[in-house]
Amino acid sequence: MTDQDTIPPMLDAAEARRAERRRFLQLAGGASIAAGGLALLSACGGDDDDGDGPAPGPSPTPSPTPTSTSNADRAALNFALQLEYLQAQFFSYATTGTGLDAALLSGTGALGGVTGGAAVPFADRVIGACAREIAQDSRARVAFLRSLIGVEGVAQPAINISGAADGAFTVAARNATAVGAGELFSPYANEDNFLLAAFFLQDVIVTAYKGLVALANLNTTRLAFTGIAGAQAYHAGFIRTAIYERPSIRARAGLLSDYRDSLDGGADLDQGVVSASGAANITPADGNGIIFSRSAPQVLNVFYLNKAAVTSGGFFPAGLNGDVKSSAAN
């Protein structure tokens, strides 16, 4: 093991420069998000702000910089918060018949209501218990992210979790041919439909957080996203397992997976719960056993139910609040 006294002085100097640059960027972080921060959210990659470049020179009146890490992180956190609004409302209605408390919904931007939602008549004790746990965790994450962002947290946008003819779930199921062209798909009618709807949302959110972890610049944000990604993966794994245990709905899960894949770009990445060989596929992983990422615009392609570059639709009929609003042109 290396003795600390033998660390070259140059490493100490590099660390000091990094710390000074972080302090400067945090001081400059009060302005609204600028082009540099938004660009980070448009791709599955980012700078961890640990380079050894020179520290900025002193200035009597430091002005905001478009590459401010605190601004970029704030945009990412607000994007994540709105994914949590969607998930938490769906699971809250499915398990209790009611949505989130109004105190958890306020913030900057337009406050929207929830269309749809009802209690699921759970017959399976395990599925009901786990759904209630996911609902509780989802509510807790909404509160946590709101506390982390503070006064600049966004309000809940309008959310559509309806199974009506024009509801987001029915539109998605019809487009995926998981139901007939004239059929409704209500996630609240039975456990099968609930699991398929949860599968549609949950898998996308896991891949979203993997992309967000890579974009986080501040350690606090990185730790938050890593922890949430782990929790979301546990939830997604349970849902995929429950679907695999019901052979009658495996094929429909595959159709929903294919539909998501058709929206978020040309690469064939999304996976159902059964592999091509017919084996269990609980984890949608590559050959290295690692799941894939979606960028924020790709996530919105799926949740807007549109492969074009648009700013609203599907589960977010009026779009998102904050700085990240547009899907990608696929």
Side-chain angles (χ1 to χ4, degrees), residues 11 35 40 120 149 167 190-192 198 208 217 243 266 274-275 277 309:
L11 295 182
L40 289 174
V120 175
I149 305 167
N190 52 63
E191 286 175 341
D192 285 353
N217 290 300
I243 291 174
V274 180
S275 69
S277 65

Side-chain angles (χ1 to χ4, degrees), residues 41 75-77 79-80 83 205 207-217 221-222 225 293-294 296:
L41 286 175
L77 287 163
F79 178 75
L83 301 185
I205 292 175
T207 58
Y209 271 107
K210 189 191 172 193
L212 289 173
V213 168
L215 297 176
N217 290 300
T221 309
R222 189 178 296 114
F225 285 162
S293 302
R294 283 185 173 95

Side-chain angles (χ1 to χ4, degrees), residues 16-34:
R17 289 195 300 271
R18 287 195 293 269
E20 181 61 28
R21 183 166 61 171
R22 290 192 188 97
R23 284 193 293 271
F24 174 80
L25 291 173
Q26 288 169 350
L27 287 172
S32 61
I33 187 77

Side-chain angles (χ1 to χ4, degrees), residues 115-116 160-171 174 183-187:
T115 301
N160 186 318
I161 49 173
S162 172
D166 59 349
F169 280 116
T170 292
V171 172
R174 287 177 176 176
E183 291 184 69
L184 301 181
F185 179 79
S186 171

Side-chain angles (χ1 to χ4, degrees), residues 85 102 104-113 146 154-158 321:
Y85 283 141
L104 289 176
L105 307 180
S106 62
T108 63
L111 174 62
R146 286 170 58 88
V154 295
Q156 175 189 274
N321 291 316

Side-chain angles (χ1 to χ4, degrees), residues 197-214:
F199 166 79
F200 190 88
L201 298 181
Q202 196 70 43
D203 269 23
V204 180
I205 292 175
V206 172
T207 58
Y209 271 107
K210 189 191 172 193
L212 289 173
V213 168

Side-chain angles (χ1 to χ4, degrees), residues 25-30 33 67-75 217-218:
L25 291 173
Q26 288 169 350
L27 287 172
I33 187 77
T67 57
S68 169
T69 54
S70 57
N71 280 336
D73 282 35
R74 190 178 304 114
N217 290 300
L218 301 178

